[in-house]
Amino acid sequence: MRVLVAGGGISGTVTAMALRLAGHEPVVYEAYPAGGDDIGAFLTIMHNGMDALRAIGADRPVIDSSFAAYGVELVAPNGETVGRREFDTEGLGGFGGPRTLTRATLYRVLQEEAARRGVPLERGKRLVGARPGQDGITAEFADGTTGTGDVLVGADGLRSVVRGLIDPAADEPRYTGLTVVYGYTRAGGLPAAPGIYRMIRGSRAAFGFTTDPDGATFWFARIPDTERSREEIAAVTPAGWREFAHAAFDGDPLPCTDIIAATGDEVFGGHSYDVPETRIWSTPEMVLTGDAAHAASPAAGQGASMALEDSVVLAQCLRDLPDPASAFAAYEGLRRERVEKLVAASAGGDVGEERGWLYSHHIDWATKITV
C-alpha cells in the first residue's frame, strides 16, 4: 500500500519508517525546505518514547545524538530544594532512560535514518488539500504539484491541514496562557545541573535547566502571557526574547536571571497551545497522528513521546488489519484514551508523581493487532 505522509517531523518520519518495516510504501512530504517552525526548541524523549523507537530499531541514532537525563530536582521560589525525583532507567521493563536533544538534531537524525531505510522525503511540499477518489487519495500541495496514494497520514502538527480536511468543524488549537522561551549558553561560572533537570518555581513563572556533557546550559522558561498574533511572535528578536524571559524572573533569589543574561542569540520563543480533543481522527482515506490529533502543553514533557507511540501503533494496525478503515478504528481505540488523559493532565500543570502509566508503556513490534 502506498501511504502519503504529510509532515516530515517526529511523527511523520517515524510513521514512515514503521510503515516501511510493516511492508508498505510510504512517502513523506515536508512543508519546509529545511527544519521547521519550532526548530529552535529542545526536548526530552521519555522512557516510553525511546521504547517506541526501539520497537522499530530506530533508537540508536537518537541515543548517539543526545544526552541522558537521570532525574528532576524541584526548587521553591526562595531557592530551597524541595524535592528530587530519579528517573528509573533500569526498571519499567528495562526500556532505558530519557534523552535530551535539540528538535533540529532530532529531525535531522530521524530523517537521515529514514533515508537510510529507503523512505523518500520530498521537501517544500506544503499540503493545501486532498481529494479522495476511486483509486485512493490525491494530496495537493501549495506549489501546484500532487501526490496519489492509498491513504494519507496527517502528521502535520498543531495546525494540521489534514485535521481540517477530516473534520472542517474541528476545534482550533487552544492557547494555554503560556509563552515558552528556550535558550542555550556556553558561558562559564553558571550553576551546573549535569544529568538532571533543575526545575525552579519563580514568583511569576517557571524555569528549568540542565547541563550537557560539554558544559552547555540548556534552559527554558514557561511564562504567563496574553496571546499575540503569529506575526507578532515571529517578529520578536533573540534580544526581545531574552529581555522578556529576564523580566519574568527579575528580583527572584534564583539563578534564572544569571543564566538568561549569559545567553547570546541562541534564544527562541513562542506561545504554547494544546488540542484537548479531536472528535474525528480519521476517514476511510485519512488519519491523524501526533500533535495533529492531540497536542499537549509542555508541562509533562510528553509531546514527542506520545507522537512516537502513535507512529508505531498506527503502522502495526495497517500491517495487521484487512483495510485502512479497520486499521484506523483500531488505532484510535488503542490510542485515544491514553493521549487524552495526558493532554488533560498536562493542561492542569503536571501529571503528578505517579507516572508509571506514562513511562512503562511498552510496544512489542511482533505483537499482532486484532479487533
Side-chain angles (χ1 to χ4, degrees), residues 76-136:
N78 63 3
E80 178 185 355
T81 299
V82 295
R84 183 180 174 96
R85 183 173 66 248
E86 302 286 343
F87 293 142
D88 183 350
T89 58
E90 299 299 330
L92 298 174
F95 305 149
R99 308 293 303 187
T100 297
L101 71 172
T102 68
R103 191 174 289 269
T105 299
L106 182 58
Y107 284 3
R108 176 179 57 79
V109 299
L110 290 178
Q111 290 174 0
E112 287 175 352
E113 179 64 13
R116 190 187 69 79
R117 296 179 182 211
V119 175
L121 188 149
E122 298 191 25
R123 298 184 184 275
K125 297 293 182 181
R126 183 174 296 279
L127 186 76
V128 294
R131 293 179 283 106
Q134 291 184 339
D135 298 324

Side-chain angles (χ1 to χ4, degrees), residues 277-302:
E277 180 186 15
T278 298
R279 289 181 293 272
I280 305 173
W281 281 31
S282 67
T283 68
E285 303 86 12
M286 296 184 283
V287 66
L288 302 173
T289 67
D291 282 357
H294 51 75
S297 84
Q302 275 283 333

